[in-house]
Amino acid sequence: MVQLEEYVDLLPYNTFHIASTARYFVRVQCPNQLDALVHSPIFQTRPHFVLGGGSNILLANETYEGIVLKNEISGIEIVSQDEKHTVLRVGGGVAWTALVSYCLDHGLGGLENLSLIPGTVGAAPIQNIGAYGVELSDVLESLCAIDLTTGSRRQMSNAECRFGYRDSVFKHTSQDVFIASVIVRLDNPGNHRLNTTYGSIQSILEKRGVQTPTIQSVAEVVCLLRRSKLPDPELLGNAGSFFKNAVVDQLAYDALQAVHPAIPVFSRADGSKVIPAAWLIERCGWKGKRIGRVGVYDQHALVVANYGSMNGIDILQFASRIGQDVMDRFGIWLEFEVRIIISKTLHELAVGGKASQNEVCDP
């Protein structure tokens, strides 16, 4: 039996601390709950979105007139084990930090570089979460996706998810899905493949006198680095990195480099170039800048922070101004990493133009 709660305050469910109300709210604790719900008249006639930890969304509607599906499917279980690997099935509603802690406690390697990332396991594949040289796609074997149009279930392989940099097939398909669980393959003790080359992980380990790193010591350094750069959402409303790094081809990079010789770049295996969005934003003078009760965090230019606004439109307009400045100066349009929940009408009134990839425009 599906219980529809009405007029639920979403303030506790988003890390931007934005005031918004859901007309209908469903706590999904079992995949079977969706069977009846997706065929119900109320579901078929109203917009909806899936809510995980609320750490990667911006609620721009004062009242969301649709249905919010809160993923609360729990459970971490061992599917199989051999000498080198342990395969886990993890419920989509499990907090990502809880999964990482489970792996560290059981000596399972592969997720230590993804420590302290907020959100839930079910939301992780949508943007292929990554940090410090590691991405979810490095360990994910498959996932169970429920089609919210038909209610059918599908086990999707890593290849079928078409993972890319902060990207997946779920951002480019019209299929409406709910990720019920994921299956990940982790390395057993004695088979850990540590990645300490990204950023300053290796240098901090050396300063700490760690000659033989472990998954635990790497996780500790990653947590240290994240806490030094990113504000605690419990204390300051934010959703982590608001913008994705810019990905351009060699020709575009050469043109930019000719005009801006100091522009930093990272090369990808496919030959494309990644330009840090933080650098672009800093050069436009936005780091540490505030307008009203919204601003860019002074320790990290990718973080748009809420300094007291209760209105998501304020944050969207602020971020759009940053994007326009970067476009005007560098000819690069920065994509939002944060998912925007907004109606088409309100979007036109707030910022105009076409919605970005991550903006959910409901009728």
Side-chain angles (χ1 to χ4, degrees):
M1 185 70 178
V2 178
Q3 180 179 357
L4 283 173
E5 301 175 43
E6 296 190 54
Y7 296 107
V8 174
D9 182 8
L10 297 178
L11 185 62
Y13 299 108
N14 75 97
T15 60
F16 256 123
H17 304 166
I18 292 299
S20 184
T21 300
R23 180 64 179 85
Y24 295 102
F25 189 89
V26 180
R27 302 176 190 275
V28 182
Q29 299 173 336
C30 173
N32 292 338
Q33 287 179 268
L34 294 174
D35 294 341
L37 179 63
V38 299
H39 295 105
S40 65
I42 190 171
F43 191 83
Q44 294 179 352
T45 57
R46 295 231 175 208
H48 59 268
F49 74 90
V50 179
L51 177 64
S55 60
N56 196 49
I57 63 169
L58 174 62
L59 302 170
N61 294 336
E62 182 177 343
T63 298
Y64 180 73
E65 295 293 344
I67 303 172
V68 176
L69 303 173
K70 181 72 170 67
N71 192 337
E72 295 186 353
I73 299 176
S74 61
I76 300 176
E77 62 177 319
I78 296 174
V79 175
S80 64
Q81 281 183 307
D82 58 29
E83 183 179 346
K84 294 184 177 181
H85 303 104
T86 294
V87 178
L88 302 177
R89 178 182 289 108
V90 189
V94 173
W96 180 261
T97 53
L99 172 59
V100 175
S101 294
Y102 176 95
C103 292
L104 294 174
D105 291 344
H106 291 79
L108 303 178
L111 300 183
E112 55 278 358
N113 290 50
L114 305 181
S115 297
L116 216 61
I117 293 179
T120 57
V121 168
I126 303 297
Q127 65 172 22
N128 186 25
I129 62 170
Y132 299 99
V134 174
E135 295 180 329
L136 173 65
S137 56
D138 297 330
V139 300
L140 186 139
E141 281 201 338
S142 64
L143 57 82
C144 177
I146 300 176
D147 189 325
L148 292 176
T149 302
T150 65
S152 62
R153 303 183 195 184
R154 178 185 175 191
Q155 200 71 21
M156 299 179 65
S157 68
N158 185 303
E160 289 175 311
C161 292
R162 288 169 29 204
F163 290 121
Y165 170 70
R166 302 297 184 271
D167 200 15
S168 71
V169 68
F170 306 108
K171 287 188 174 183
H172 303 278
T173 179
S174 59
Q175 186 179 22
D176 187 12
V177 301
F178 179 102
I179 297 178
S181 62
V182 305
I183 292 180
V184 291
R185 178 181 293 269
L186 292 314
D187 299 327
N188 290 337
N191 293 282
H192 295 160
R193 295 166 293 174
L194 300 179
N195 185 336
T196 62
T197 60
Y198 193 96
S200 55
I201 293 178
Q202 185 60 44
S203 63
I204 294 177
L205 287 169
E206 291 173 357
K207 288 178 182 178
R208 290 185 161 199
V210 179
Q211 297 181 346
T212 306
T214 64
I215 57 174
Q216 287 80 10
S217 62
V218 170
E220 288 175 4
V221 171
V222 168
C223 289
L224 176 70
L225 289 169
R226 289 187 66 88
R227 290 190 175 108
S228 69
K229 296 179 180 180
L230 302 173
D232 183 346
E234 292 292 326
L235 304 176
L236 179 64
N238 74 95
S241 297
F242 200 98
F243 302 93
K244 295 170 63 174
N245 289 330
V247 180
V248 300
D249 59 24
Q250 183 69 54
L251 188 63
Y253 171 71
D254 289 342
L256 283 166
Q257 202 270 338
V259 180
H260 308 280
I263 193 168
V265 65
F266 300 95
S267 298
R268 300 176 67 188
D270 61 3
S272 61
K273 304 296 181 181
V274 179
I275 300 173
W279 187 89
L280 299 171
I281 294 168
E282 283 191 51
R283 292 306 177 277
C284 290
W286 283 94
K287 186 176 181 180
K289 183 176 180 178
R290 295 192 198 182
I291 297 178
R293 296 183 178 182
V294 183
V296 175
Y297 189 51
D298 57 8
Q299 298 298 312
H300 201 310
L302 285 184
V303 179
V304 175
N306 181 7
Y307 290 94
S309 175
M310 299 298 285
N311 189 343
I313 289 296
D314 293 343
I315 296 171
L316 176 58
Q317 291 178 324
F318 181 88
S320 296
R321 289 185 61 176
I322 294 174
Q324 189 61 58
D325 274 6
V326 171
M327 181 65 183
D328 291 343
R329 181 167 179 179
F330 296 100
I332 295 175
W333 181 255
L334 295 179
E335 290 185 18
F336 293 165
E337 188 165 326
V338 171
R339 188 182 183 198
I340 313 298
I341 309 298
I342 188 171
S343 67
K344 289 180 181 179
T345 301
L346 192 55
H347 178 272
E348 290 295 329
L349 291 173
V351 296
K354 182 181 178 181
S356 73
Q357 185 185 69
N358 274 15
E359 291 180 55
V360 180
C361 291
D362 297 316

